[in-house]
Amino acid sequence: MKKVKCALIGSGNISYVYLNTLKNGGFSIVEMVGCADIVPEKSKARAQLFGIRDMTVEEILNDPEIEIVLNTTNNAAHHEVSHKILQAGKHVYSEKAMDTNFPAAKELYDLAQAKGLRFAAAPDCYLGSAYQTARKLVDDGWIGEPLFANAFCYRGYKEHEREADYAGAGAAGTTITYDMSGYYYNVLISLLGPVQRVSGFARHVTRIHTNPRHENYKKPVQKQAGATLNLGALHFHNGCYASVFMTSEGVGPEIPRVEIFGTQGVLHLPDPNCFGGYGKDVYLTRIGSTEKIKMPMTHAFGDTDPTLPTLTGKYEACFNSHRGIAVVDMAWAIRRNRPHRSGAELALHAVEIAAAIDESEATNQTITLTTKPERPAPLTAGMFGISAESGIDT
């Protein structure tokens, strides 16, 4: 089958893992052609590392053989870059979130629909071994009827000790309530289906520079006032409820948590920013017991060994994950003429949930959502090793 040629715009930190997955992951359906960046030195270094072409944005957009373009720019640039990709007649895979607000995301969605193009957005960690195993456990009835989910991310960002490192950083739609929440929304939607109603609270927490060597020591951090703390109450169409908490104001090690409580058991799930394994495991507590049982993984695409060195010999963001697997799924979907799992509807829904929490805070009302995506189809269980890609090609 003819390979789907792909290219990447935005050769910064997260580009390493995408290029590694799509160039070195052994997926027969994709061909990684090249990469570009606003800073030429970045794309040149990535191109040399992975043996692909160092390209300009214009070269990527004008190349008739490139079908999918990955938008791995910073959050504030997502809309402009994704819009250009769609206007060039190419399918988009965007780093999370799809956009920084719901109207802008809806504009991209409508443009993709009008042009007959596919749009997908990260995160795709819900396609990894841990959350596909969890999906099978839920679908097979191991916890009975899901009643309530608890999800939260307690994180501390280093940005509090410096000024914004790119234009737009810290503005609404670029902070943790959009940047990290998608990991949690996507796994919850995969497990429970779409959200019907949302209420919540959100605010920006003003921090003071605490580094005595900083020129603004004891002064407020000059960040744009996007929310850095929120709490959302979600009502799913299937009747399940969920509480979702996000903050970048934490201290100490990050605390990520997802739990699903049902009539017959409880699922204790790992960091949704990871794909599974190496301590990121799935545990089940069944009715009548307090024991947490570690469940065997039913699916492939777990994290790789975190002790193995990277190709650059230094730490690379999320280097031991399978980020980009949804691009592989999209490529198969293009050739098979079927829906891709991380579809535009899912991406738009995640942005609407985040925006609805902000709107609920502003209006003191419960918000009924306008989007209702299908649950992403599960991957095929039991497909490991060289057969793993066959689990995506369905």
Side-chain angles (χ1 to χ4, degrees):
M1 186 171 290
K2 182 181 178 182
K3 291 178 180 288
V4 177
K5 292 189 176 183
C6 307
L8 176 147
I9 298 175
S11 303
N13 291 337
I14 201 62
S15 67
Y16 175 91
V17 65
Y18 279 103
L19 292 171
N20 195 44
T21 296
L22 298 176
K23 187 66 168 61
N24 301 327
F27 296 109
S28 63
I29 194 63
V30 294
E31 179 182 346
M32 202 68 209
V33 174
C35 61
D37 195 272
I38 195 172
V39 181
E41 291 77 13
K42 289 185 177 182
S43 59
K44 181 179 179 180
R46 290 302 197 211
Q48 289 178 343
L49 183 66
F50 290 100
I52 57 178
R53 291 170 57 195
D54 177 19
M55 306 176 72
T56 66
V57 171
E58 290 71 24
E59 286 173 336
I60 289 175
L61 299 181
N62 292 329
D63 189 326
E65 294 190 343
I66 294 173
E67 298 182 62
I68 299 175
V69 180
L70 284 70
N71 177 4
T72 53
T73 60
N74 63 65
N75 299 46
H78 282 176
H79 183 89
E80 179 184 358
V81 174
S82 291
H83 194 276
K84 287 182 178 179
I85 296 168
L86 292 171
Q87 289 287 18
K90 302 183 185 303
H91 308 294
V92 177
Y93 185 88
S94 174
E95 247 299 289
K96 82 300 178 195
M98 182 182 191
D99 216 315
T100 57
N101 61 78
F102 183 66
K106 184 63 163 56
E107 180 186 338
L108 293 176
Y109 175 86
D110 290 341
L111 180 59
Q113 295 295 109
K115 286 185 166 289
L117 296 168
R118 295 174 183 261
F119 200 111
D124 57 0
C125 305
Y126 73 94
L127 294 174
S129 60
Y131 277 92
Q132 285 298 299
T133 297
R135 169 72 178 264
K136 181 168 175 55
L137 291 170
V138 170
D139 289 354
D140 289 354
W142 284 83
I143 64 168
E145 178 188 352
L147 300 173
F148 180 78
N150 180 38
F152 66 85
C153 180
Y154 177 80
R155 173 183 276 200
Y157 279 164
K158 295 179 180 178
E159 282 82 351
H160 290 139
E161 297 303 326
R162 66 172 192 259
E163 305 300 336
D165 56 359
Y166 64 84
T174 70
T175 56
I176 191 170
T177 58
Y178 282 73
D179 180 63
M180 278 303 300
S181 63
Y183 294 94
Y184 293 80
Y185 298 152
N186 276 16
V187 299
L188 291 175
I189 294 163
S190 174
L191 296 173
L192 305 171
V195 176
Q196 181 180 22
R197 299 187 299 160
V198 173
S199 63
F201 309 94
R203 68 185 177 97
H204 172 80
V205 179
T206 301
R207 294 288 292 256
I208 304 298
H209 284 284
T210 58
N211 184 349
R213 296 183 179 87
H214 197 286
E215 61 181 3
N216 292 324
Y217 178 50
K218 291 188 177 181
K219 296 179 181 179
V221 177
Q222 297 300 309
K223 298 285 283 186
Q224 301 180 58
T228 57
L229 170 67
N230 77 356
L231 174 64
L234 313 184
H235 177 199
F236 291 80
H237 281 274
N238 71 351
C240 190
Y241 301 138
S243 172
V244 181
F245 167 78
M246 296 279 138
T247 188
S248 55
E249 305 298 330
V251 296
E254 178 178 341
I255 304 176
R257 187 168 297 165
V258 179
E259 297 166 308
I260 313 292
F261 300 84
T263 56
Q264 299 293 316
V266 180
L267 275 178
H268 312 273
L269 302 173
D271 186 349
N273 195 9
C274 302
F275 282 70
Y278 296 96
K280 308 296 191 298
D281 299 308
V282 175
Y283 290 85
L284 173 69
T285 301
R286 288 278 288 170
I287 189 170
S289 173
T290 60
E291 182 183 3
K292 290 184 178 180
I293 303 170
K294 181 178 176 179
M295 304 302 292
M297 296 296 186
T298 59
H299 288 72
F301 307 117
D303 291 313
T304 57
D305 189 344
T307 65
L308 295 177
T310 65
L311 297 176
T312 59
K314 63 181 181 180
Y315 175 80
E316 297 283 356
C318 309
F319 69 94
N320 66 316
S321 73
H322 278 93
R323 276 167 172 77
I325 193 174
V327 180
V328 178
D329 175 69
M330 179 191 269
W332 276 117
I334 291 170
R335 292 292 182 260
R336 297 296 193 197
N337 194 29
R338 63 161 173 83
H340 56 286
R341 289 176 170 85
S342 292
E345 293 80 9
L346 175 62
L348 187 62
H349 193 56
V351 174
E352 189 174 20
I353 295 169
I357 295 175
D358 292 342
E359 184 179 353
S360 179
E361 167 65 34
T363 63
N364 199 29
Q365 294 180 348
T366 296
I367 310 301
T368 299
L369 303 187
T370 62
T371 55
K372 187 184 178 183
E374 297 291 332
R375 291 172 77 194
L379 297 180
T380 305
M383 308 297 282
F384 295 91
I386 60 174
S387 301
E389 189 175 14
S390 299
I392 308 177
D393 179 22
T394 53

